[in-house]
Amino acid sequence: MTTTPRTAEVARDTAETQIAVRLNLDGTGQSKLATGIGFFDHMLDQIARHGMIDLDVQCQGDLHIDGHHTVEDVGIAIGQAVKQAVGDKRGITRYGHAYVPLDEALSRVVIDFSGRPGLITDVQFTSGMIGAFDTQLLHEFFQGFVNHAFVTLHIDNLKGVNAHHQAETIFKAFGRALRMALTPDPRAAGQIPSTKGML
């Protein structure tokens, strides 16, 4: 097991958003979330709970325009925090995957802490809005995350009729995959999980 705390704090201040993120990759799934978009907070809570990450996200965004900048910039800030907290990736499992169902919906998420940003999504939402959350912004959140965490991420919603269920299975599966990838591998303690010798 890792002995160095894997924690990070990131502040991101722009003309569109002011964001503070604090996280602990070895937490207990506690969250403190205030983005101004209730459903988005609910989804971030899924990442914390299923990823066993303590996550604090405070955001003041230009919601009088729409949720785009808030959701994208929170993804960027969380990605930066994860990259900072994971460090040189010595001893991590590196790859993670999860299938998560919720009633009729089923999603698969696969992640690689590869050091290269890449996002592939195959999600056909059945509704454009979930509460005040524009479903197009799910892609923007994860694009911001992968660009700054430097991970490869594949997201597939395999089945789903209810858009809330579709989104929730994705965020839960992402949390589970993240947890798997970041779990220390006792057989690879101190090793960087790559033939290149770096990630």
Side-chain angles (χ1 to χ4, degrees):
M1 291 293 292
T2 184
T3 56
T4 304
R6 297 190 299 174
T7 61
E9 294 188 19
V10 167
R12 177 179 172 83
D13 295 310
T14 73
E16 298 165 340
T17 58
Q18 295 79 52
I19 300 170
V21 170
R22 289 188 290 276
L23 60 76
N24 177 2
L25 297 181
D26 303 301
T28 59
Q30 302 301 305
S31 66
K32 183 179 178 184
L33 307 164
T35 67
I37 304 173
F39 184 76
F40 186 39
D41 288 348
H42 181 45
M43 293 300 96
L44 294 176
D45 186 49
Q46 303 308 317
I47 296 173
R49 289 177 183 272
H50 292 274
M52 294 300 286
I53 295 168
D54 291 342
L55 181 62
D56 184 335
V57 178
Q58 305 299 311
C59 176
Q60 293 289 328
D62 55 0
L63 296 179
H64 61 285
I65 297 174
D66 67 8
H68 189 286
H69 299 139
T70 291
V71 174
E72 180 181 30
D73 288 4
V74 166
I76 289 170
I78 293 176
Q80 290 172 336
V82 167
K83 183 177 185 296
Q84 179 182 321
V86 78
D88 67 4
K89 306 171 193 169
R90 287 183 188 277
I92 67 168
T93 300
R94 175 177 169 177
Y95 299 99
H97 63 272
Y99 285 83
V100 170
L102 175 56
D103 297 342
E104 87 299 342
L106 175 65
S107 292
R108 174 183 62 217
V109 174
V110 183
I111 192 167
D112 174 14
F113 274 77
S114 59
R116 299 181 303 278
L119 175 65
I120 302 294
T121 60
D122 186 358
V123 183
Q124 304 298 320
F125 277 110
T126 59
S127 175
M129 297 293 292
I130 308 170
F133 183 81
D134 181 346
T135 54
Q136 293 182 90
L137 299 184
L138 180 139
H139 184 276
E140 301 307 318
F141 170 79
F142 286 111
Q143 189 69 70
F145 176 84
V146 302
N147 284 349
H148 292 268
F150 289 86
V151 300
T152 300
L153 183 63
H154 288 250
I155 297 172
D156 295 282
N157 175 238
L158 304 174
K159 296 179 181 178
V161 174
N162 181 290
H164 185 131
H165 293 171
Q166 289 177 288
E168 189 163 337
T169 57
I170 288 166
F171 277 90
K172 284 179 175 177
F174 174 69
R176 291 271 168 175
L178 198 61
R179 179 179 173 185
M180 179 187 290
L182 292 175
T183 296
D185 181 348
R187 296 177 64 192
Q191 298 178 34
I192 294 175
S194 171
T195 54
K196 297 183 183 71
M198 64 175 290
L199 284 171

